[in-house]
Amino acid sequence: MEKKSNNIPASVRIAFVVFLALGIIIIGALWMKGNEMRRQNDLLAAAVTSQSEENARKEELLDAPMDEDYVRDIAHEYGYITPGEQFYPINVEE
């Protein structure tokens, strides 16, 4: 039996290896970009959920009857206190 000789030129082999390496690099970069976009999407979805809850809470305040409790709740919302109340600032965003 005769052995087949490999007649593929070295330049073609090198070009194949280079294109293969570039393909792997491009696929890896696209995969990493996709992961980053999924992370950003998750953060934005959480922000939308949080804002929707805040909007629902404010909607309830707007729908409430305008009595003394309502006025006090709105005043507290904007940082006002009634005479005799103690104010203890809490920084929740830290």
Side-chain angles (χ1 to χ4, degrees), residues 12-63:
V12 173
R13 287 182 188 185
I14 291 172
F16 177 75
V17 170
V18 167
F19 285 124
L20 185 64
L22 285 175
I24 291 172
I25 290 170
I26 290 172
I27 288 172
L30 289 173
W31 182 71
M32 288 176 16
K33 183 67 173 173
N35 283 343
E36 176 64 27
M37 291 180 81
R38 275 189 285 283
R39 269 194 303 274
Q40 287 178 350
N41 188 38
D42 291 344
L43 289 173
L44 289 173
V48 165
T49 301
S50 173
Q51 189 62 49
S52 295
E53 291 169 357
E54 177 72 16
N55 290 351
R57 190 180 64 73
K58 288 188 177 186
E59 187 96 14
E60 287 176 10
L61 282 176
L62 286 174
D63 292 340

